[in-house]
Every structure is written in structure tokens, then in C-alpha cells.
Amino acid sequence: MADYDLAIIGGGLNGVSLARDAAGRGLRVILFEQGDLGGAASSATPRLIHGDLSVLERRRFRRVRRALAERRIWLRIAPHLVRPMRFVIPAHSDERPPWLLRAGLYVYDGLTNRGGLPPSATLDITHHPVGNALKRPFGTAFEYSDCVVDDSRLVVLTALDAAEHGAAIRTGARCVRADRTDTWRLAVVDRGHRRTITARALANATGGWTPMVAETVLRQPQPAMAATQMSQIIVPSLFDSENVYVFQNNDGRLIFARPFERDFTLIGTVTHAFTGDPAIVAMPGADVGYLCEAASRYFRERVAPTDVVRTVSGVNPTLASARGRDGTMLFHARRRKAPLLTMFGGDVTTSRLRAEWAVTKLTPFYPMSPPWTAGAALPGGDFAWDRFDTEVDLARDRWRFLSEPEAQRLVGAYGTRLPAVLGEAKTRDELGPVFGPELTGAEVRYLMAREWARFPEDVLWRRSKLGLTMPAADRDALASFMANVM
Ligand SMILES: Cc1cc2nc3c(=O)[nH]c(=O)nc-3n(C[C@H](O)[C@H](O)[C@H](O)COP(=O)(O)OP(=O)(O)OC[C@H]3O[C@@H](n4cnc5c(N)ncnc54)[C@H](O)[C@@H]3O)c2cc1C
């Protein structure tokens, strides 16, 4: 008998979503990630949970409706990671006419049961706080509801849920060879040790590495693929209102600017074809300039490349024959050839649903229970989304040393699992050393013990974004602390 029912290569959003779905349906699952969970494209997404107005513009109504239905599910199962926001599109005299935007949002509202989110509206932004940060000529804007998400925490908490349903999650474990007969035999270099396991089915969810893994590790034929790089920039905060701006650029694209980690603004996205090694992806200067220019058309304060404090880029493959970013799922099984599932691309919003579809492909091969992930909260997400502020208040009542922004960050990251991080501490001193403004030893220990963090980057850029405000000396202190905990 094989060691596992399903082995998954790749711990990005696609891989962990497969692991969660399959483990909860009773399969014996193991996932191998060569680096950190969400260490590649899955922490470089636009971080939006939305129906996507650019998709609406292409009149793909069914796809928008499906994404909006998923938005409701995310709000229910991950109310700590997914936050509703008002999205604001200023009308621009050179771009889409206001009547078209108004009509589009009317359709957008109608494609979903909004589940308590307010409908779209027209704003006079000369007299509205959202207009304060914008150039003067913008008089009218349209406002609608969508959500933002912490993408890399979504990956980690999905993996945690998979593990709590029995999946084995191995980070720092690179799959170097997979032989296919009526089962799969995988050779893995797992934190320096070579090990071999067998599995009845295999999923290749290696994102930008998909064609390379198919060719050199699995040695299986694959259709022709192309790769796309997607990038965003982070700059010091450009506005203090809690909304996402959607700007129409002069090439017809929609660019967004959203509040990010209290003191910053995230601006994205720009995409272009990519060739090369997905492990070495950097944002070209021309792309930085493009986003700065696009944002400067609207913001009063000019955005210059020298303002950029960090760039974020990821690479994803697309089928050479496909357009857009719907994501691809390929399934192959034959007599005496164990099933192979290949899954890549797709947006964050529909990742849960696509994993559900993919695992369902395996039903002829194993007995398994029905789909379940739409109704089960991710770890820490067992509260109603409109009670987020109440959860923050409760946290501040219990741990009186927490400031409001700190409590917001902690509830946003851990939800109802926060007691497992802070325990019975009465003072900050009881939480161990402090790195930077607010990262405590207790939080770092929790992340290492429960969320597979091994290195400072895992904590500073994926489990949190505290790298943005962490002084270099504290980063070194954190590295020593983590080396001693290991
Ligand atoms: C053109 C384009 C536009 C997009 N636009 C959006 C958008 O608007 N909104 C949105 O939400 N999303 C968008 N995305 C999607 C998003 O970036 C990703 O598709 C999503 O995060 C899923 O990533 P993944 O898990 O497939 O890959 P990744 O996150 O890259 O994960 C793959 C993992 O596999 C691991 N790996 C590779 N080889 C091995 C090996 N041999 N052994 C072990 N591990 C290995 C890597 O280390 C990596 O962590 C877009 C994607 C594309 C292509």
C-alpha cells in the first residue's frame, strides 16, 4: 500500500488549498515545499478578494458572479484575514464615461447577494474625505464594496487547517524526482536528508516552476506554457482614508492603491511576459516607473520611484494557448499510470473553489467525503466578519498593554487563536524580548512552533509584514533569537 493517497509538490496557495480540501475529505496527504509556504507568487498577489471589474468589462458575467459568491464565503470563513473595504473609482474625463462606470457597478451589485456589504454609490469627492488625497479636478467618483486579504497569511492558515485535518506539511523539502507506475515514488531532499515516499496520486502545484518540474522531476509531457510576472510597489502612506482607490490608467488598465500595514500604500499591478528562473524575479525599473506615473495622474502628492520602499513580484505560468488568468487544471490518469494533477495560476478569490474541483477529479480513484471547505472557518476565523472591531475590543480588555493598532494587527493575523500567542500575559515584559516596535518573542515562538516559520524573512515578510518597520539591528537580534529557539 502507498504511504499517502495524495502527494503535493508546492506550498503556494494552489498547493495548500489542495492539501486542505483533500485532507478534510479523508485522504492521507503530504505536501512538500522547497522553501517557505507562500514564499513565491502567492505572497505577491494583488491581495484583493473581488469579482474584478476588468473581468466584468470583458462581459464574463458568470466568472464575476462565481468570484463574488466566493467573496461571501471568504468573509465567512476568514473574517480575520479578509476585510471589506469601499473601493473608489474617480471619474476621469479622458477615460471611461461616468455613465458606463455607473452602469457597470449597477450590474456588479446585481450579480451577487452582497451579504451585508453596502451597494455602490456616486460620490461628490470635492466634499468627501476620499477626495482629500486626490488632485483637484476629480469631482465625481463611484464607490463600491469589495475585500482585501492578507495573501501570505491565507496560505499559512490554509496549510495549518490542512495539517489540523491530518495533512503532513514539509517545508524546506524539495522534490527532486518522481517515478510513475501505478503509484508515484517520490525522492525528496527534506532539510538536507534524502527520503523516499510513495503516493497513489501526485499534484504538481509548483507555480512558476511547473514546466521545469514536469520536465526534469516528473519527466511527463506538458502543453506549451508561457510565464507572466506580476508586480506591485509599496510607498509611504499617500492617504489616511480606509478605502481602496481604483484608477483608470491611460492605457485602459485599472490600477489600485490600497492602505497597507498602517503606514504604507500598496500600488499595483503591472504584468508582463517573463522568461528565466522564477526564483530570481525582480521588478524592472520601467514597471516601477509605470506604477508611479499611473498613481501620480490621480494623487495630489507625486509618487516617484525614489519613494518606493519595497517592490513585490511573482511569476506564474499560463498555458501558451490560454488568455487571461483563470488558472489551469490539467488531469491525467491511465491504466497503470497513477493520477497526475497539475494546477497553476488563477486568482486568490477562486483558489478554494478550484481546489475543490481539482480534488473532486480524484473521486473515481478513492472513496472520499463531499466538499466541505466552504463551510468551515480557517484557524482563528470562527467569528462573524462584522464583529472584527468587537474582537479587537475584547483583545484589548484581556491584554491591557496592547495599543489599538497592535490589537488590530494581532486579531487580523490570529483571530480567535490569539490566546495561543499571548497566553495569560499581564504585561508586555512577560512576552519575552521585543524586536522592532511590536514583535515579541512569544509571537515568534508561536510562529515557529505552529506555523512553520524558520527564518526571519518567514516572520517579517509572510507571517507578518513587520519587515517594513524593523530596524536592521533588531533584525539581527531576531535572527539570533530564532537560531536559539531551533
Ligand atoms: C498573469 C497573472 C495574473 C494574476 N493576477 C492575479 C490577480 O489579479 N488576483 C489574484 O488574486 N491573483 C492573481 N494571480 C495569481 C496568483 O499570483 C497565483 O496564481 C496564486 O498565488 C497561486 O500560486 P501557486 O500556488 O500556483 O504558485 P506559487 O505561490 O508560486 O507556489 C509554488 C511553490 O512551489 C514551490 N516549488 C517549486 N518547485 C518545487 C519542488 N521541486 N519541490 C518543492 N516545492 C517546489 C515553490 O517554492 C513555490 O513556493 C495572477 C497570476 C497570473 C499568472
Side-chain angles (χ1 to χ4, degrees), residues 419-438:
V421 181
L422 301 182
E424 298 303 324
K426 297 272 178 295
T427 65
R428 193 177 297 274
D429 288 348
E430 292 172 43
L431 297 173
V434 181
F435 309 98
E438 62 184 84

Side-chain angles (χ1 to χ4, degrees), residues 2-303:
D3 303 326
Y4 295 93
D5 295 320
L6 176 64
I8 299 165
I9 316 176
L13 188 56
N14 281 324
V16 296
S17 303
L18 288 170
R20 175 178 185 240
D21 192 290
R25 288 163 90 170
L27 302 192
R28 295 166 306 144
V29 175
I30 188 161
L31 179 145
F32 297 110
E33 164 52 50
Q34 63 186 359
D36 184 25
L37 296 168
S42 296
S43 44
T45 77
R47 301 172 171 88
L48 304 176
I49 296 280
H50 61 158
D52 199 339
L53 289 191
S54 58
V55 177
L56 182 71
E57 197 162 34
R58 283 182 266 132
R59 300 179 188 210
R60 300 189 57 193
F61 299 119
R62 214 151 50 134
R63 186 178 148 185
V64 175
R65 189 196 297 275
R66 194 163 61 215
L68 291 174
E70 285 299 301
R71 184 182 76 184
R72 282 197 75 187
I73 292 174
W74 283 123
L75 273 174
R76 202 168 59 229
I77 70 174
H80 44 341
L81 308 179
V82 177
R83 309 289 311 136
M85 277 212 183
R86 293 299 269 170
F87 285 51
V88 175
I89 315 185
H92 192 299
S93 52
D94 296 340
E95 311 301 339
R96 295 160 187 83
W99 66 263
L100 185 64
L101 291 172
R102 183 62 262 161
L105 291 176
Y106 182 75
V107 174
Y108 200 68
D109 280 346
L111 283 172
T112 183
N113 171 341
R114 289 189 313 280
L117 299 182
S120 60
T122 305
L123 300 179
D124 171 3
I125 52 174
T126 44
H127 299 106
H128 192 286
V130 300
N132 292 348
L134 302 181
K135 285 181 175 161
R136 230 171 240 137
F138 299 107
T140 304
F142 301 96
E143 180 185 62
Y144 63 100
S145 294
D146 254 328
C147 297
V148 297
V149 62
D150 184 334
D151 55 1
S152 42
R153 282 207 64 74
L154 185 65
V155 174
V156 172
L157 293 191
T158 303
L160 181 58
D161 205 30
E164 291 181 356
H165 283 87
I169 305 288
R170 297 295 310 165
T171 60
R174 179 177 166 81
C175 180
V176 290
R177 188 178 170 117
D179 293 312
R180 186 184 196 186
T181 55
D182 54 353
T183 56
W184 284 95
R185 188 174 189 80
L186 272 68
V188 178
V189 179
D190 189 342
R191 303 198 182 175
H193 301 284
R194 197 176 170 95
R195 64 187 277 211
T196 306
I197 63 113
T198 54
R200 293 171 69 190
L202 179 71
N204 177 5
T206 52
W209 290 262
T210 304
M212 204 186 300
V213 167
E215 190 186 328
T216 62
V217 178
L218 314 183
R219 286 154 295 121
Q220 300 293 320
Q222 288 288 330
M225 291 185 205
T228 310
Q229 170 175 349
M230 187 177 30
S231 307
Q232 298 133 44
I233 54 174
I234 300 170
V235 296
S237 195
L238 292 164
F239 54 98
D240 51 18
S241 51
E242 271 294 295
N243 60 270
V244 179
Y245 290 103
V246 180
F247 297 141
Q248 310 175 69
N249 200 20
N250 49 10
D251 56 6
R253 293 198 188 164
L254 297 175
I255 304 294
F256 73 84
R258 57 159 282 199
F260 191 65
E261 303 298 312
R262 286 178 224 161
D263 300 326
F264 298 89
T265 297
L266 178 75
I267 303 174
T269 62
V270 55
T271 57
H272 60 71
F274 177 85
T275 49
D277 182 348
I280 311 165
V281 49
M283 188 170 181
D287 285 358
V288 174
Y290 172 88
L291 289 178
C292 290
E293 274 308 308
S296 299
R297 286 184 87 205
Y298 289 84
F299 284 120
R300 260 173 212 233
E301 207 176 313
R302 187 161 176 76
V303 186

